[in-house]
Each structure stands twice: as structure tokens, then as C-alpha cells.
Amino acid sequence: MLKEYELGTIYKGKLETGDDLLEKLTEIVKEKEITAGKVIALGAVKEAIISFYDQDKQEYEAEKLDESLEIVSLTGNISLKDGAPIIHAHIALGDEDGQLYGGHLEKGTTVFACEFIIEEYEGEAFTRGLDQQTGLPLWVK
Ligand code: ZN
């Protein structure tokens, strides 16, 4: 499955201390009615929830990281699920020793500081639906 896009508007911004990282980015994407695009960010969080998809059990296992961490990298894509824009993002978080934790970004990750860039792509959005083989809400059209 492959689609072609033209680059649309590029947004840069910062989030506020205490914002929920995924919820706030999703709110912005919904406000701007972006249905296809890319999200990248860096900064720091006060605490985080990341998850790992257990391929055998076909379920996400969430892990709470209850400490200050650097957002070494956040990369995500924007598509549609149930008619609304959704961000699928993965995050790499570093502790004071430079050790990394990473996974699927979940709600409940609290921003300390965050600078983000959202690129809007013009073209037909991907739509998520249940993929039988993986149990994941993948792009189905
Ligand atoms: Zn994921």
C-alpha cells in the first residue's frame, strides 16, 4: 500500500509544562484538520507511559516511567481512525545516565518542555482498521 503526497503547511510550536503529550498533539492535529502527515518532537517529560506490543498475546503491555526523562526522539504519523485524525507515535526517552527507554507513546505522558514540528501532507489519508493477522489497527485503505 503506497500513497503519494505533496507537502502542505508545516507547523512548529511548543507545548506547556503539564500538558499530556499525546493528547495535546492530537488536539492540535484535530484543530487544524490534518488527516495525513508527520509529527516529530523533542524536549523532556516529567513522567511517561509507553507500551510494547506483545505479538503472541496480541495486546499492548503498558509501562509507567515515573521520573524526569529527555525526549530524545518522538516520531509519529497522522492518519484517520473512525473518521477522526489519530497520531501513532513512538518515543525514545533518556535518563540522567543516557540510558534509553522506548516504545509506543501512550496518553498519560506529562510534558516538562516540548518543541514539535507537524508536517501536513496533501492527498488521500490512510484509514486505520483492524488487521486480522497482527491484531493491530493498521492502515487498511
Ligand atoms: Zn506503535
Side-chain angles (χ1 to χ4, degrees), residues 21-31 85-87:
L21 180 55
L22 181 60
E23 281 191 339
K24 194 68 192 183
L25 289 172
T26 303
E27 204 179 293
I28 293 163
V29 161
K30 284 181 175 170
E31 256 175 43
I86 182 172
I87 296 173

Side-chain angles (χ1 to χ4, degrees), residues 51 53 60 88-90 103-106 128 136:
S51 62
Y53 191 69
Y60 281 102
H88 179 203
H90 285 194
H104 181 93
L105 177 64
E106 298 282 359
R128 293 190 181 280
L136 287 165

